[in-house]
Amino acid sequence: YIIGGFSVLIYLAFLLGMNYRSTKWLIHSLELSKMLASFTHQANYDLVTDLPNQRLLTQYIEETLAKTKESGKNFALVSFGINRLDVFNNSLGYQAGDLVINSVAKRLETELIELSRFDDKERILTKPRPDAFVLLIYPVEQEEIEREINYLFLALDKPFHLGNRESRLTASVGITIFPKDSGAPEKLISNTYAAMFDAKSKGGNQIAFYKSTMTSNAPLLLELESDLDVALQKKELELYYQPLVDLQTKSISGVEALVRWNHPTRGLISPINFIPLAEETGLILPMGEWILEQAMYQTSIWHMQGFKDLKVAVNLSPKQLRQGNLIASIDKVLKTTKLDPHFLELELTETAMLDESLSPLIKEISDRGISLSIDDFGTGYSGLSYLKYFHVHKIKIDKSFIDDVVNSSDGAVIVTATLAMAKELGIQTLAEGVESRDQMEFLLHRGCQYIQGYYFSKPLTAQALEELLKKGIADKF
């Protein structure tokens, strides 16, 4: 036994000795295997929630498509987009946003487990986007979907707690159904996102079923949304400034701040295309705050350079008006830039001004000494009798009316009447989109106080505007 045991020891020592490199390689291989397994998991699962990501979602759709060919049954893709997530990210940091998303994921999983107790449907929850979940339900009929979604909305019923803060969330839900809509996995995913974007445009807990008209711009919108988020983080947006001309002093009395996006591959993208997208996705809130801060900061620089009477006008979107911290945000920027509130003008739409729920907010802004103007006046309610009540300082007559003042008697009458009524109410007037000397002289002779448009200048960079301020615009009169 002793000799036998000794022989085993010698044999093991021989193996270990002769195969030291092999043993080392084996250990290294095991470590490498663990690393590869980790990488594989990360490639297939969301890092925040550990739910399957886009890669596995595509695989699940392919597997379900195979099942439907045999069964002839329907399945649905439901995109569950979290609204206002950017508010958490921008006010509390991305870690707070991740905590919220993780909490939502756990609540959704709980609701889905509860639903699965009552039927034999497959429900697979995935996380292919930073702000959205996608649920695959098989089999399902269209009339059953809304019942399912209402259960998912329950996941957002209770407030979310972050430290001593309490917030509520809403979701925008997009639904596509196979085989009614399309067969390819990529197309189905595109369909559900297109429907989700449509739901987002309606606000709150909204549901939209996919329609073919939704997807014409869906791929571009998805790409632009991602790029716009990056542009905000990397500060790729730029402000241009269009002069506001005082017709009495024949000088530049202010500027309107206008955002521009020079996309690295698509070139200059019109605000007409990316502002509505920012509105739909909630990116308008951090963008609006950035515009406000940059515009006020630049104006304070111009003041230091000697242009001490220059005012800056900034447009506020409806979503900005309804965010809870707008006043605090404005106060913060005023304090940071040390700009007198008198030199800030905020532009709102007629619809916003006539929304009674916003009246206290508008009054609070006005009480700070900040000017308020109605943008594109005449295209909405045109309720001049309300202007005093809502503390309006200026109305901006829409370009569509200015276009007609020279060649159309109707256009001339409308603009003349608007100018006269505003004068009676003690409200300043500015004409937008002035492009010719004839338009300028018409407005000058009828008492319009301010003018904005290409006749004087297109929107300029801060440096180019500074040169125009030095040069002046006397040659235009």
Side-chain angles (χ1 to χ4, degrees):
Y1 292 105
I2 295 174
I3 295 172
F6 187 64
S7 299
V8 171
L9 288 174
I10 292 174
Y11 177 69
L12 289 173
F14 172 77
L15 286 177
L16 291 173
M18 293 297 292
N19 295 285
Y20 171 74
R21 290 184 179 179
S22 299
T23 305
K24 188 175 182 182
W25 175 84
L26 179 61
I27 294 170
H28 179 70
S29 296
L30 290 171
E31 292 175 351
L32 185 62
S33 179
K34 289 180 182 178
M35 290 175 61
L36 287 173
S38 176
F39 289 147
T40 301
H41 188 83
Q42 290 180 26
N44 291 291
Y45 292 85
D46 176 61
L47 293 177
V48 176
T49 62
D50 205 37
L51 289 171
N53 64 13
Q54 175 87 23
R55 186 192 297 259
L56 285 183
L57 171 60
T58 303
Q59 181 180 316
Y60 295 146
I61 295 172
E62 290 172 347
E63 292 170 356
T64 309
L65 283 169
K67 293 177 186 176
T68 57
K69 287 179 181 178
E70 296 177 5
S71 67
K73 295 180 179 178
N74 301 334
F75 75 89
L77 278 188
V78 179
S79 53
F80 194 84
I82 306 302
N83 300 327
R84 296 177 57 248
L85 182 63
D86 55 291
V87 175
F88 289 95
N89 290 335
N90 292 299
S91 60
L92 301 175
Y94 281 87
Q95 187 175 5
D98 288 347
L99 288 172
V100 170
I101 281 291
N102 204 31
S103 297
V104 173
K106 290 178 180 176
R107 293 189 188 185
L108 288 174
E109 287 181 299
T110 301
E111 294 296 336
L112 292 173
I113 290 170
E114 186 65 21
L115 280 171
S116 296
R117 290 176 53 204
F118 302 101
D119 56 42
D120 57 354
K121 297 183 189 299
E122 289 183 21
R123 295 179 178 86
I124 303 173
L125 184 65
T126 68
K127 176 81 174 5
R129 289 169 56 90
D131 61 343
F133 301 84
V134 172
L135 173 65
L136 190 155
I137 309 173
Y138 169 80
V140 72
E141 297 298 330
Q142 182 162 334
E143 55 270 19
E144 298 177 305
I145 293 290
E146 289 201 40
R147 180 180 65 85
E148 297 260 344
I149 303 309
N150 287 329
Y151 274 105
L152 296 184
F153 281 146
L154 292 175
L156 304 181
D157 267 2
K158 294 179 182 178
F160 292 83
H161 298 275
L162 289 171
N164 58 352
R165 300 193 182 202
E166 184 178 283
S167 297
R168 292 184 180 275
L169 293 177
T170 59
S172 300
V173 176
I175 303 164
T176 189
I177 299 174
F178 177 85
K180 182 176 73 71
D181 295 330
S182 178
E186 295 78 10
K187 184 67 168 62
L188 286 166
I189 293 171
S190 175
N191 289 352
T192 191
Y193 289 157
M196 182 180 73
F197 284 135
D198 185 73
K200 274 182 181 287
S201 67
K202 300 169 186 173
N205 286 333
Q206 297 291 332
I207 301 172
F209 284 88
Y210 168 75
K211 297 176 184 176
S212 58
T213 53
M214 293 176 179
T215 50
S216 56
N217 292 320
L220 175 60
L221 287 174
L222 284 171
E223 190 174 329
L224 285 182
E225 179 192 346
S226 176
D227 291 350
L228 184 56
D229 196 11
V230 171
L232 277 168
Q233 293 176 36
K234 293 186 175 181
K235 305 188 187 314
E236 292 176 355
L237 301 178
E238 185 177 2
L239 284 191
Y240 277 55
Y241 301 89
Q242 187 168 32
L244 309 179
V245 176
D246 187 327
L247 287 177
Q248 303 304 312
T249 64
K250 297 180 172 59
S251 63
I252 298 172
S253 63
V255 294
E256 180 181 3
L258 301 164
V259 66
R260 295 291 183 265
W261 181 15
N262 196 0
H263 193 281
T265 58
R266 298 181 182 276
L268 199 63
I269 298 177
S270 170
I272 294 173
N273 292 325
F274 73 84
I275 293 296
L277 178 63
E279 285 275 6
E280 289 179 15
T281 59
L283 290 172
I284 195 67
L285 298 179
M287 181 189 294
E289 188 172 348
W290 175 83
I291 292 170
L292 193 64
E293 184 173 357
Q294 290 298 308
M296 291 167 66
Y297 178 71
Q298 181 59 57
T299 304
S300 66
I301 291 175
W302 283 323
H303 284 188
M304 289 187 286
Q305 292 174 340
F307 308 108
K308 298 189 177 186
D309 295 326
L310 200 70
K311 295 184 73 170
V312 64
V314 179
N315 193 283
L316 287 184
S317 77
K319 281 196 174 181
Q320 284 178 278
L321 289 171
R322 286 175 173 79
Q323 68 174 336
N325 64 337
L326 178 62
I327 295 294
S329 179
I330 292 172
D331 287 344
K332 176 185 173 184
V333 178
L334 284 170
K335 184 178 180 181
T336 302
T337 60
K338 296 182 172 60
L339 185 71
D340 188 320
H342 171 73
F343 295 106
L344 174 62
E345 180 177 300
L346 298 179
E347 298 182 3
L348 293 79
T349 63
E350 285 183 85
T351 305
M353 295 299 291
L354 292 171
D355 185 339
E356 291 186 8
S357 67
L358 295 175
S359 183
L361 171 70
I362 292 170
K363 185 178 186 306
E364 194 171 351
I365 292 173
S366 182
D367 289 345
R368 279 166 164 70
I370 298 168
S371 299
L372 293 170
S373 66
I374 295 184
D375 197 18
D376 300 329
F377 183 80
T379 60
Y381 293 98
S382 304
L384 281 169
S385 60
Y386 293 93
L387 295 177
K388 275 292 186 183
Y389 177 76
F390 283 98
H391 313 285
V392 174
H393 301 89
K394 183 188 292 179
I395 59 174
K396 299 182 69 175
I397 304 173
D398 187 66
K399 181 183 184 300
S400 62
F401 297 104
I402 304 304
D403 287 342
D404 294 334
V405 295
V406 176
N407 301 317
S408 166
S409 58
D410 289 343
V413 168
I414 291 171
V415 172
T416 301
T418 302
L419 291 171
M421 293 175 71
K423 184 178 180 180
E424 288 297 316
L425 290 169
I427 295 171
Q428 298 175 353
T429 50
L430 181 147
E432 296 182 288
V434 177
E435 297 181 349
S436 71
R437 186 178 186 86
D438 288 342
Q439 290 173 341
M440 184 268 290
E441 289 182 345
F442 174 93
L443 294 160
L444 175 63
H445 296 318
R446 282 160 182 77
C448 186
Q449 293 156 295
Y450 301 96
I451 277 180
Q452 175 183 5
Y454 275 41
Y455 176 69
F456 289 104
S457 174
K458 64 181 181 180
L460 303 169
T461 64
Q463 184 177 354
L465 184 74
E466 184 182 327
E467 294 302 316
L468 185 62
L469 287 170
K470 292 175 182 176
K471 175 186 172 185
I473 53 170
D475 60 321
K476 293 288 186 178
F477 289 90

